[in-house]
Amino acid sequence: MENSLDNWIGKSDDIEISYEVYRKKDSYEIDTIQVNHNVPSTFVLPSGNFRDVVDAKWDDRVDRADRIDYLIAVSCGTIAGLIDSFFVGEFSLSKANAWGKDTINKLVIKVAKVNGFSGKDLQSAIRFLEKTFPFASDSLTAKFGGGLQHHLRDFSHHFSLGGFLCSLFTQFTGKVIGTDTAGSLIIEKLTDTSLIGKNIEEKILFGTIRWVFHLASDMAGSNQTFGNGTGIPGPIMSAIKRLSTLPIFKDKLINEVEFHTWVSKLFNGTLLAKRNASGKIIEKIPFDLRTEMGILIQTGKQLVPVIINECLVRGAYFLRRLFMWVDSHEIKSIRDFGKIKPEEVLPFNNHSIRRMVTVSSGVFCAIDMTDAAIRAAIKSGGSVAKFMKEFFVRINVAGVGRFVIACSLDFGTILEEERQKEQEFEKKIFNVKAFSLTYEQTQVLYSIQRIIVLHDAGNTSNANDKKLKKEWLKEWEQKVLEGCYVAKEHRSEFFLPDYALINKISRLGLGPWFYSVMIEAIYFKPYSNLTNDEKWKKYKKLRLKKDYIKEVFVERQTYFTEKDVREIKHEFRRASGIVTGTKKAMIITAAGTVAIACVTGGIALIFAPEIAAGLVGGEGLYGAALYSHSLAVLGGGSLAAGGLGMAGGTFVVTSGGALVGLLGGSGVSTASRLAILSNAGFIRMECCKLIAYCRAVLAKRYSDLESVKGIKEALSENYEEIKELLKKLNMYTDQDELDDSPEEDEEESDKNELSEKKQKKSIKKSLKYIRRTVKELNTIIKYEEKNA
């Protein structure tokens, strides 16, 4: 990025952030940041040394190609392309056939001599092999089209695996497989069985050894038309002929010619023949084994610049990495070279070299095709048909093939990296099973929250307030149904009434999930702004005045009593005091419950509906927990939309699980983390939920200390990652780490816009909350282990 401008961009349907990053002498610096209208200024990052942050976006396991590597790759591709242009030339079937004829003629004589032939001419050699190795199916030559066609139509005369199997089939059944004049598959019985083996050993011997040496006599034509006569199909022609017998291909037309006829013309040489101006054939070019061998050699010639390109790229990569290692590790003697780590300099098995090969191969193909187009245009004289023919015979097929393979490997590496990121993140969050809710459990959660609003609206005396509460509920229901991807035909069944809700809980059975749902229900705050839209202002003054959980729910079932409600609220207040560093619980304001959307490893996590969409905003930011849908709001994602990845049956994540997922893992972008940390009230709320849930539910009620340990370890790891990230951004110091002063009992601003100074202050608060939460989880673990 030397002396240039680069964009680091994160996109979604609702959000777009563009960072203009300049490279200075030894650092990167953010110059400006632009955001669209849906994004509040809480995403603003301070200017300063940004080098390590940019570097942190790269996977530490992969040595990425940089600008110099790209320039090297382009140069190597250019050199190889020029070599191809000046020294390889066009692909010629005529030359391929000529080379194949000469090679096959010499080969036939050599094979004959190996078997006792003492002559020197081709005709005598063919005659000798025909006499020495007679072939059973030759007795049906007339049935399969005579001298010009039976090598093609009789499958046992094909020099391929299929031909070998057909030869064995003839020996064991006395029948020959081939096609008739219409291209249909036929099986003819031998009239002369004298060349069929008498026992298994003879059958195998005749079907293999005799087959090989007899085909050697047919490669160069018969003894009457030696050198230029009908040859035999090679592997490619054999495969094409067999395909032509299939109903799907047999009657297909190619330039108004049936496919099986087209195949015959291809084999006999009339299809590819050279013609004069009047269209008369002046030279046949049969596509038989001789031509196929010539094509192989021509392809080998094309491989030369491809191999040169490969060697240049990998050699340059090795030399550059070796120089960088020597320079950075002060290698001063031969003995010091033993310090070099081979995996860091060898040009294999890393993303950088794969990307360099892809780039160089692409440049090679571009130069090759440009050269082919120019030469074709000159020779075509304006004829489109001639241009296309000249163009394609000049393309380096081997180079194109290498480019396709390089792209495939490069893309595969990218997919593998994304998959590993997804797995790392999903493992971190979903191995903590205590946070997981299935679809039906999620249905219970939303149904309770809906009934909470219905109960409150039904007991509201002010007619205008009652109307507004019902309007808000209707909007909320719609967004929940859309967010949960509930099919339209099932939407009327999603929300459960009172009686059905109790039955559903009974059927699902109690467990940590149920208490997780109740924590969300107890701290559910309806009438919040769901989409950061002006229309929600009319609900701003509405308040929840009736407590459905305390007044109704605890009386209609026996699973969750008033004592349980008191215990959860007690633990939450206690947790609030611990998190804030005070002896009393601080007020959790609306600003402390802001909806956050963040993509981590392909999974979009969207917070509860009670959390107003004051920070990120945008349609669809709602829900009682974390949707495991690949919505790609900020960081992109590679899971299919609606896919749950490793989560399997998990549909949402609740009760503070946000802290485990939203702030951790390599899949979370820097902007996303800062957006979350910028709202200390939200972090405080989630920390309180997490502590209360771990102590009251996991530790005390279910003695699930392993889950608490997993949560603590994941959160602790996230905290350390975030701390180091913020230090690199000059937003956090070692002195801040020592600050353990209690928070002031104040309401935070519920405005979207935060100044840089307020943002830093809020982030420091958030880290303090997380640090205290980790410490408290550790205290819970030690206490439970001591009293186990």
Side-chain angles (χ1 to χ4, degrees):
M1 291 186 6
E2 188 172 352
N3 298 323
S4 63
L5 177 65
D6 289 276
N7 289 325
W8 187 28
I9 304 173
K11 294 182 178 180
S12 79
D13 290 338
D14 300 313
I15 194 166
E16 179 176 329
I17 315 168
S18 299
Y19 303 84
E20 294 183 354
V21 184
Y22 287 91
R23 171 71 184 271
K24 291 194 173 181
K25 182 177 180 181
D26 59 357
S27 65
Y28 294 90
E29 182 173 299
I30 295 179
D31 183 68
T32 60
I33 295 180
Q34 297 178 341
V35 295
N36 66 5
H37 65 280
N38 286 326
V39 185
S41 59
T42 48
F43 282 96
V44 173
L45 299 173
S47 294
N49 191 316
F50 201 62
R51 181 188 181 101
D52 293 329
V53 178
V54 174
D55 290 343
K57 293 299 293 180
W58 302 101
D59 192 330
D60 292 335
R61 298 165 300 170
V62 179
D63 182 18
R64 300 275 187 164
D66 59 16
R67 289 266 173 121
I68 296 177
D69 284 340
Y70 282 117
L71 289 174
I72 290 172
V74 169
S75 300
C76 293
T78 302
I79 293 170
L82 293 175
I83 291 173
D84 175 75
S85 176
F86 288 106
F87 297 103
V88 175
E90 66 178 298
F91 187 95
S92 172
L93 281 176
S94 179
K95 291 180 181 179
N97 181 257
W99 184 93
K101 282 182 180 181
D102 183 60
T103 303
I104 289 294
N105 292 346
K106 293 176 181 178
L107 178 63
V108 171
I109 294 174
K110 287 182 180 180
V111 171
K113 287 184 175 182
V114 168
N115 288 278
F117 174 63
S118 57
K120 295 182 179 180
D121 63 293
L122 178 61
Q123 183 179 24
S124 299
I126 294 174
R127 185 181 294 115
F128 172 83
L129 289 174
E130 287 177 341
K131 183 178 179 180
T132 306
F133 300 101
F135 200 48
S137 65
D138 273 353
S139 63
L140 295 177
T141 296
K143 286 278 188 182
F144 288 101
L148 292 177
Q149 294 291 335
H150 87 280
H151 285 177
L152 177 65
R153 294 178 184 171
D154 175 4
F155 288 175
S156 63
H157 273 79
H158 292 191
F159 190 74
S160 64
L161 177 60
F164 168 63
L165 294 176
C166 287
S167 174
L168 289 178
F169 176 81
T170 299
Q171 286 294 319
F172 283 92
T173 65
K175 297 177 181 178
V176 181
I177 301 176
T179 65
D180 59 16
T181 55
S184 299
L185 192 67
I186 59 172
I187 299 177
E188 293 288 337
K189 188 174 182 180
L190 287 172
T191 55
D192 180 3
T193 59
S194 60
L195 296 177
I196 297 295
K198 302 298 188 292
N199 50 51
I200 293 178
E201 290 79 6
E202 277 195 358
K203 291 178 186 295
I204 294 175
L205 181 65
F206 290 176
T208 55
I209 304 301
R210 184 168 287 179
W211 173 75
V212 170
F213 287 109
H214 179 78
L215 290 189
S217 73
D218 288 338
M219 289 179 183
S222 68
N223 62 72
Q224 300 298 320
T225 58
F226 58 93
N228 295 306
T230 304
I232 59 174
I236 299 175
M237 190 68 240
S238 178
I240 295 173
K241 179 59 179 175
R242 289 197 299 274
L243 283 174
S244 72
T245 65
L246 299 176
I248 191 174
F249 293 115
K250 187 168 71 72
D251 297 324
K252 293 295 181 183
L253 298 179
I254 299 179
N255 294 330
E256 300 183 357
V257 177
E258 291 180 327
F259 185 54
H260 69 275
T261 303
W262 182 89
V263 172
S264 296
K265 289 178 176 289
L266 177 65
F267 178 71
N268 291 330
T270 57
L271 184 68
L272 301 176
K274 289 185 176 181
R275 301 173 185 269
N276 59 21
S278 61
K280 184 179 179 180
I281 294 177
I282 56 177
E283 180 189 351
K284 290 184 178 180
I285 304 178
F287 195 83
D288 55 16
L289 180 62
R290 292 170 290 192
T291 303
E292 290 188 31
M293 290 181 66
I295 289 173
L296 184 63
I297 295 302
Q298 290 254 326
T299 304
K301 186 179 178 182
Q302 289 189 338
L303 278 173
V304 173
V306 176
I307 293 173
I308 290 174
N309 179 45
E310 199 85 10
C311 292
L312 287 173
V313 172
R314 295 185 186 274
Y317 174 93
F318 171 74
L319 291 175
R320 183 175 181 234
R321 294 307 186 278
L322 183 63
F323 174 79
M324 291 168 63
W325 181 274
V326 171
D327 183 57
S328 61
H329 292 78
E330 297 183 353
I331 305 295
K332 298 179 180 179
S333 66
I334 297 298
R335 182 177 296 178
D336 289 341
F337 275 92
K339 300 177 183 178
I340 296 176
K341 295 180 180 179
E343 65 273 13
E344 295 192 13
V345 297
L346 293 178
F348 307 104
N349 301 323
N350 66 72
H351 189 87
S352 285
I353 192 61
R354 291 194 187 100
R355 178 57 55 81
M356 289 176 70
V357 170
T358 302
V359 172
S360 64
S361 298
V363 172
F364 173 83
C365 287
I367 292 175
D368 172 55
M369 290 184 180
T370 302
D371 173 70
I374 293 172
R375 292 177 186 269
I378 294 172
K379 291 189 67 174
S380 66
S383 170
V384 175
K386 194 171 182 180
F387 170 83
M388 296 304 295
K389 179 181 178 181
E390 291 293 333
F391 175 73
F392 283 112
V393 298
R394 289 185 175 277
I395 288 177
N396 190 310
V397 179
V400 173
R402 182 63 185 99
F403 179 58
V404 171
I405 293 172
C407 289
S408 176
L409 292 174
D410 196 11
F411 183 64
T413 300
I414 295 171
L415 289 181
E416 178 62 20
E417 289 176 13
E418 290 300 318
R419 186 186 66 81
Q420 288 176 356
K421 288 179 182 180
E422 291 165 7
Q423 288 181 340
E424 288 172 5
F425 168 72
E426 292 169 350
K427 182 178 180 182
K428 178 180 287 187
I429 191 165
F430 289 118
N431 274 354
V432 186
K433 296 180 180 178
F435 293 139
S436 302
L437 293 187
T438 65
Y439 181 84
E440 287 188 298
Q441 292 164 354
T442 303
Q443 188 180 14
V444 169
L445 172 58
Y446 282 126
S447 297
I448 292 177
Q449 291 181 337
R450 176 177 177 271
I451 294 172
I452 286 173
V453 181
L454 283 175
H455 177 74
D456 182 56
N459 288 278
T460 298
S461 56
N462 185 291
N464 186 56
D465 286 353
K466 177 181 288 192
K467 178 184 176 183
L468 288 175
K469 287 181 178 182
K470 288 183 177 181
E471 285 181 7
W472 183 92
L473 179 61
K474 187 175 180 180
E475 295 276 2
W476 178 86
E477 288 174 352
Q478 182 66 23
K479 295 192 178 301
V480 167
L481 293 171
E482 291 173 357
C484 290
Y485 295 94
V486 180
K488 290 184 178 180
E489 60 268 25
H490 299 302
R491 291 186 175 184
S492 61
E493 307 165 1
F494 182 78
F495 295 108
L496 305 171
D498 256 354
Y499 65 89
L501 176 64
I502 304 302
N503 291 336
K504 173 76 80 171
I505 295 171
S506 177
R507 184 175 65 79
L508 293 176
L510 297 185
W513 75 270
F514 175 68
Y515 295 95
S516 176
V517 165
M518 295 314 301
I519 289 174
E520 295 290 342
I522 290 171
Y523 291 98
F524 175 50
K525 292 181 177 60
Y527 316 128
S528 58
N529 185 330
L530 300 182
T531 60
N532 203 30
D533 196 298
E534 289 293 323
K535 71 176 182 179
W536 298 95
K537 285 188 175 181
K538 60 183 176 181
Y539 306 121
K540 187 174 181 179
K541 294 182 179 181
L542 296 178
R543 295 291 180 269
L544 185 67
K545 296 183 178 180
K546 289 293 180 177
D547 191 338
Y548 167 78
I549 301 296
K550 182 178 179 179
E551 296 171 5
V552 181
F553 186 77
V554 296
E555 301 296 331
R556 293 190 177 179
Q557 43 76 48
T558 57
Y559 314 124
F560 195 76
T561 65
E562 190 173 347
K563 179 182 177 182
D564 294 320
V565 176
R566 289 197 302 270
E567 181 181 3
I568 286 176
K569 288 185 175 181
H570 169 74
E571 291 295 349
F572 190 90
R573 286 193 297 269
R574 179 180 176 183
S576 178
I578 292 168
V579 169
T580 58
T582 64
K583 295 296 182 181
K584 62 179 181 176
M586 293 181 66
I587 299 171
I588 304 295
T589 67
T593 55
V594 179
I596 308 291
C598 167
V599 171
T600 48
I603 297 179
L605 304 179
I606 301 179
F607 278 76
E610 67 268 26
I611 302 175
L615 183 60
V616 176
E619 278 295 322
L621 301 185
Y622 51 85
L626 309 174
Y627 293 124
S628 299
H629 297 300
S630 180
L631 303 179
V633 178
L634 291 178
S638 59
L639 290 183
L644 302 180
M646 290 176 61
T650 300
F651 192 71
V652 298
V653 181
T654 58
S655 300
L659 297 178
V660 182
L662 281 170
L663 299 177
S666 59
V668 187
S669 69
T670 300
S672 300
R673 291 186 180 189
L674 292 179
I676 300 160
L677 292 168
S678 294
N679 193 269
F682 167 74
I683 296 294
R684 183 173 64 196
M685 181 70 152
E686 290 303 303
C687 285
C688 292
K689 279 185 184 181
L690 185 60
I691 292 173
Y693 182 62
C694 286
R695 187 193 302 277
V697 180
L698 297 181
K700 289 185 178 180
R701 187 174 292 272
Y702 288 98
S703 301
D704 186 4
L705 206 57
E706 289 304 310
S707 287
V708 179
K709 288 180 180 178
I711 293 167
K712 192 268 293 186
E713 290 173 4
L715 187 59
S716 178
E717 181 181 333
N718 292 350
Y719 172 74
E720 293 299 326
E721 289 179 4
I722 293 166
K723 185 173 67 175
E724 293 305 313
L725 172 65
L726 292 173
K727 285 181 179 180
K728 293 171 184 176
L729 283 169
N730 295 324
M731 299 181 74
Y732 196 73
T733 65
D734 291 332
Q735 187 60 40
D736 294 321
E737 180 74 2
L738 299 175
D739 178 23
D740 201 39
S741 59
E743 298 304 316
E744 298 177 3
D745 191 359
E746 63 178 2
E747 286 199 5
E748 300 177 38
S749 171
D750 60 355
K751 294 181 180 180
N752 279 346
E753 298 184 0
L754 293 174
S755 66
E756 185 177 315
K757 183 178 179 180
K758 286 183 178 180
Q759 183 192 28
K760 282 188 176 181
K761 182 179 179 181
S762 186
I763 287 174
K764 289 177 181 179
K765 280 186 181 182
S766 294
L767 260 68
K768 191 185 296 185
Y769 297 152
I770 298 170
R771 183 171 70 245
R772 288 169 176 163
T773 300
V774 171
K775 185 177 179 181
E776 181 60 19
L777 292 178
N778 196 48
T779 299
I780 294 172
I781 292 168
K782 289 182 177 179
Y783 177 83
E784 294 299 327
E785 287 180 336
K786 182 179 179 181
N787 294 279

